[in-house]
Amino acid sequence: MPDWTYHPLRPVANAVVGERRAQVGALRFLSVLIGLPGGGAAIRRVFDHPEVPREWSGRFGAAVPVSVARDAVRVLPVQGASIVEIGPVAADDVDAVRAAARGRRCRVVARVDNPAVGALLADAVDDVVVGERADGVYLREPDIANAVAALRDPAVTVLAEPAVLVAAGPSWFQRVIEAAEVTEPAAPGLRDAGIDPRKWPGWFWGLLVGAGMIVAGLGAGAITLGPVLLWYDRNYLGTDVDGLHRINHHLVHFLQHDRITMAGNMIAIGILYCGLAWGGMRVGRKWARNALLLSGLVGFPTLFYFLVIGFVEPLHTFAAVVLFPMYLMAVWRPLGPPRWRVLPECAEAIRRRALVGQLLIVAMGAGVIFGGIVISTVGLTEVFVPTDLAFLETDAETLRAANDRLLPFIAHDRAGFGGALMSTGVAFLLIGLWGWRQGEAWVFWSLLGAGLAGSASALIVHFVIHYTAFIHLLPVYFGAAVIGFALFLARPFLTGKVTR
């Protein structure tokens, strides 16, 4: 399990089942997951574990007791270990070590006190060490800098004691690997992109997609606050704003609240995409490109909701047609070399608070995705929720009887907002899942900007039109509070303002 669940939830688990059981249970749970077909590869991909540097292969890992050897040999290579030393091994432990080493995906070494025991294991493990290894550095403190410094000597094997992994969390290997990554000094700027679109890098195309989403959101908001209906809306409905007022005196405000909320969400997506492109892809972060790819794969296909609804919105279609080729270029073009800064480790207390914030952001992203699914489903089926009808002081059948195209028209806005919300949730979740690193200030500002754009637009329009049903706005209140609290906890860590 990742640090953002391990550290925040560890005190609760310790209190419920006891510290030792919690530790063994967490290791066993991961072992079971990794043992499933494709489990190890899935965990590496979902949690973005880096590959062990080639020069560290077989000499960076952990020393574990026999009691957890089987699970450790299965789990630790997925976390980033390339060697697991089991010991001390006694004569009674030979069968257990043989079982642990079977099917291994990393180098396994048995540490024995009796050479005769080692002889019994010579054919089952990669090496046998009598006593502590002469070329080994056994780390008893989770100091990232010490581990990196020791690994610079190609003759040294660095092994973390169990206390290190218990104290630091399962992402310790990943943090060490990333701290040692060699990066180039300066990231490219806007001028470096040039003026020839054929040579524009992926991050520049991603920036254009984000900027395009922001412009489209501002445009949608301006239309909603101005004419409300464009010519093709009036042609489809066979009426104008005055006609809508005659059908229901709350109807225009209801349409405005849907569209302003959608516009705010489009701006939020644009902010997240700009952050991913400028802060992540520009400096060579593969995870940022993957986040943009997955968010777009969720968002763009929702254009085809019209196949269910029956109403095609020309401006929406035009924006998608313009932005989609840019999106393809953004995720297709190769990334440049790593160009990010590696900061000294901050105080552990600051990191622990940030991990609570990360847990909240990941949960918030998942919640936004779920909310988008619900809203899309409502838009494609019932169209209205009970609070909508209470605000309108009518029912769906009355509206359908007044204008048989009115419900598909509203459904387009409602379902489209749900689709955009799913896309936002994916970006939110993946930035929280993969981008939570010390000194990544753009993560803080992107999440803050997106949260403000989405929450403020929704709350303001609801209060302006007096659609203030508490249960209807509760997700917005809750989401804004969670995002604000999470970023408050993580600000020193993400902005890199505080170090040891």
Side-chain angles (χ1 to χ4, degrees), residues 34-214:
I34 291 169
L36 297 174
I43 288 177
R44 280 197 190 94
R45 189 172 295 274
V46 168
F47 296 108
D48 195 37
H49 291 316
E51 294 292 331
V52 180
R54 186 175 302 174
E55 61 272 20
W56 291 5
S57 180
R59 61 186 193 90
F60 175 49
V64 302
V66 176
S67 60
V68 297
R70 186 169 186 175
D71 291 331
V73 169
R74 180 179 284 178
V75 168
L76 296 184
V78 175
Q79 303 293 341
S82 60
I83 179 173
V84 175
E85 182 180 282
I86 306 170
V89 181
D92 293 341
D93 301 323
V94 170
D95 289 342
V97 174
R98 282 181 170 276
R102 195 175 298 121
R104 59 191 178 276
R105 295 174 179 263
C106 70
R107 184 175 172 81
V108 173
V109 176
R111 177 164 53 86
V112 301
D113 294 325
N114 186 342
V117 175
L120 297 174
L121 287 168
D123 64 333
V125 297
D126 297 295
D127 197 6
V128 174
V129 176
V130 179
E132 287 198 353
R133 51 193 310 138
D135 64 343
V137 173
Y138 292 87
L139 298 177
R140 294 173 174 83
E141 297 291 336
D143 191 304
I144 302 294
N146 283 349
V148 173
L151 284 161
R152 291 196 182 104
D153 185 345
V156 168
T157 298
V158 176
L159 299 170
E161 296 278 5
V164 170
L165 303 181
V166 170
S171 297
W172 183 80
F173 294 105
Q174 179 174 353
R175 291 164 60 204
V176 173
I177 292 170
E178 291 185 351
E181 190 152 11
V182 177
T183 65
E184 296 191 11
L190 290 173
R191 292 183 179 180
D192 297 315
I195 59 174
D196 185 352
R198 295 172 299 176
K199 298 180 180 180
W200 284 349
W203 65 263
F204 190 79
W205 286 108
L207 203 60
L208 290 178
V209 175
M213 291 296 298
I214 293 172

Side-chain angles (χ1 to χ4, degrees), residues 460-477:
I460 290 172
V461 72
H462 278 84
F463 276 90
V464 166
I465 69 171
H466 304 293
Y467 184 1
T468 57
F470 178 76
I471 193 66
H472 183 73
L473 291 177
L474 181 58
V476 186
Y477 295 141

